[in-house]
Amino acid sequence: MIYLDYQATTPLAPEARDAMLRWLDGPGGTGFGNPHSAHRMGRQAKAAIELARDQVAALLPAGGRVIFTSGATEALNLAIRGSGEGGTVSYSAIEHSAVGDTAQAAGKSHVLNVASNGQCNTKQDLPADTRLVCVMQVNNEIGTIQPTIEWHRKAKQHNALFLCDAVQAYGRIEVTGADMIAISAHKFHGPKGVGALWLRDGVDLHEVQTGGGQEFGLRSGTLSPALIAGMGAAAAEAKDRMEQDRDHIDALRTRARALFGDWTLNGSEDARWPGNLNIRRDGLDVNRLMSDVRDVMFSAGSACASGSGRPSHVLKAIGLSDKQAKSSIRLGFGRYTTMEEIEEAAGKINAAAEAQGL
């Protein structure tokens, strides 16, 4: 099988797997201790978590702290619900549903428009009572890189906090400044089930999940040393090979663009993460294509919304019709993708599309 769905999840890095194994010990081992226990095994587990906290923080801005969560969805909920009540939460039209749905459920919300290239510009007005602005750094469906520095500045001008969903950016490019930043380990070759919220010093949150008061009293629940150690190792590996990964992905992107030259690109050609290729062919039956090319793993949009039957809200936001959105596919590639896999996958996808008379 050829895996081209890196925006949905990434293969676990061997370094992350190795870091996790010690903390998965069964009877007779010493790595299964509760990191919140005061005895030796508990202290060892806690030390592993604090090492990972430093490793994760090394790819985030200075002047903040890392709060471990079960993933980015929990981190975003903590940021949106825990940062205040009343006032409006403004978010871009192409945010992940973990932002949009939570903003709507938390109270008043306002949607920021995006241009046809997929970018959310700062010329539009914010409601006067905006308390929080949410703009992601890299979109998960079309890969567009957002002007988060400008949005952070605009949020400050309105005395609002700025939350950045950096799930698709962390470990790939430099994460820009914000008041709060959400990340997820399995998007940068770490394990599933763990993520973090970075909180700038001086920003106050209230807990939304009560219990034992772990994680600075903001996120109760026993932490998993294995998952967090894996996340830390994945972060350290991403930091060490960021430039190498980028060069490799740039080369894959150049080849993929040539192989899919007669497809239409969705979103900006230049202001995008090169490991994302969201393309369409008018009249394409995507379900039939995926059935005909079962050994190539790609997507018709966000994995979180798969099976809903609704056209992508991201593609609709950039002006595509329902028919155009439903004739689009997303190819995601990264560190472990080979050039041979790109070429073989392109051959199969193109042949299957041509078999539909396109």
Side-chain angles (χ1 to χ4, degrees):
M1 293 188 294
I2 299 173
Y3 185 75
L4 297 180
D5 201 15
Y6 268 61
Q7 278 72 50
T9 194
T10 56
L12 184 68
E15 297 81 6
R17 178 184 178 275
D18 290 347
M20 295 171 67
L21 288 178
R22 175 186 174 185
W23 308 104
L24 294 171
D25 280 348
T30 60
F32 62 87
N34 187 319
H36 311 296
S37 296
H39 51 62
R40 181 181 177 185
M41 285 173 59
R43 293 195 305 272
Q44 289 174 336
K46 182 179 179 180
I49 286 172
E50 295 312 310
L51 170 62
R53 198 185 306 275
D54 290 341
Q55 292 171 319
V56 171
L59 282 168
L60 290 163
R65 54 182 169 171
V66 170
I67 301 165
F68 287 117
T69 65
S70 62
T73 295
E74 184 189 347
L76 292 164
N77 268 263
L78 175 58
I80 294 170
R81 298 177 188 274
S83 58
E85 297 177 351
T88 296
V89 177
S90 294
Y91 63 94
S92 83
I94 60 172
E95 293 301 300
H96 192 281
S97 58
V99 169
D101 289 356
T102 305
Q104 292 173 33
K108 289 196 296 181
S109 61
H110 170 74
V111 179
L112 300 164
N113 295 324
V114 297
S116 60
N117 70 350
Q119 287 194 304
C120 182
N121 69 68
T122 57
K123 294 180 180 179
Q124 54 197 305
D125 294 330
L126 290 170
D129 66 342
T130 295
R131 69 169 181 86
L132 178 65
V133 177
C134 310
V135 178
M136 66 197 337
Q137 188 168 355
V138 177
N139 182 263
N140 55 301
E141 289 195 37
I142 57 175
T144 49
I145 298 174
Q146 301 301 312
T148 48
I149 294 174
E150 290 81 359
W151 273 111
H152 188 196
R153 186 179 298 120
K154 184 158 185 167
K156 283 184 176 181
Q157 292 170 352
H158 285 73
N159 295 316
L161 293 174
F162 180 63
L163 167 62
C164 182
D165 169 356
V167 167
Q168 299 290 336
Y170 183 91
R172 297 178 174 93
I173 60 177
E174 181 180 356
V175 176
T176 57
D179 295 302
M180 297 175 285
I181 300 169
I183 62 174
S184 185
H186 76 103
K187 305 294 188 177
F188 57 91
H189 305 291
K192 297 172 182 63
V194 63
L197 177 69
W198 178 88
L199 184 66
R200 181 177 61 77
D201 292 342
V203 175
D204 293 324
L205 291 183
H206 64 262
E207 61 180 347
V208 299
Q209 177 176 300
T210 55
Q214 293 90 343
E215 288 301 270
F216 313 101
L218 293 175
R219 194 273 183 181
S220 292
T222 302
L223 295 175
S224 166
L227 292 177
I228 292 172
M231 182 178 185
E237 186 67 12
K239 184 175 186 294
D240 288 345
R241 59 185 297 163
M242 189 177 292
E243 185 176 347
Q244 177 185 346
D245 283 350
R246 178 61 184 257
D247 289 345
H248 174 62
I249 294 165
D250 277 338
L252 296 176
R253 183 256 187 100
T254 298
R255 183 61 176 144
R257 286 293 285 129
L259 292 168
F260 291 99
D262 54 351
W263 294 62
T264 301
L265 183 71
N266 294 324
S268 173
E269 175 78 53
D270 302 314
R272 74 187 298 136
W273 168 246
N276 176 299
L277 196 63
N278 194 303
I279 52 179
R280 72 178 188 272
R281 220 160 164 169
D282 289 343
L284 182 70
D285 183 336
V286 173
N287 289 331
R288 177 181 164 188
L289 180 71
M290 297 183 80
S291 178
D292 291 344
V293 193
R294 295 186 182 184
D295 56 347
V296 180
M297 309 297 112
F298 62 95
S299 174
S302 168
C304 301
S306 64
S308 69
R310 299 188 302 271
S312 161
H313 75 281
V314 173
L315 298 182
K316 293 281 287 178
I318 64 173
L320 270 62
S321 66
D322 286 1
K323 184 176 289 188
Q324 288 174 320
K326 289 185 175 182
S327 65
S328 301
I329 64 172
R330 183 186 66 183
L331 307 176
F333 36 89
R335 180 186 300 168
Y336 303 114
T337 311
T338 67
M339 190 67 74
E340 291 75 20
E341 286 176 325
I342 291 288
E343 293 172 345
E344 183 179 349
K348 292 182 175 183
I349 293 171
N350 281 322
E354 289 166 6
Q356 295 186 24
L358 304 174

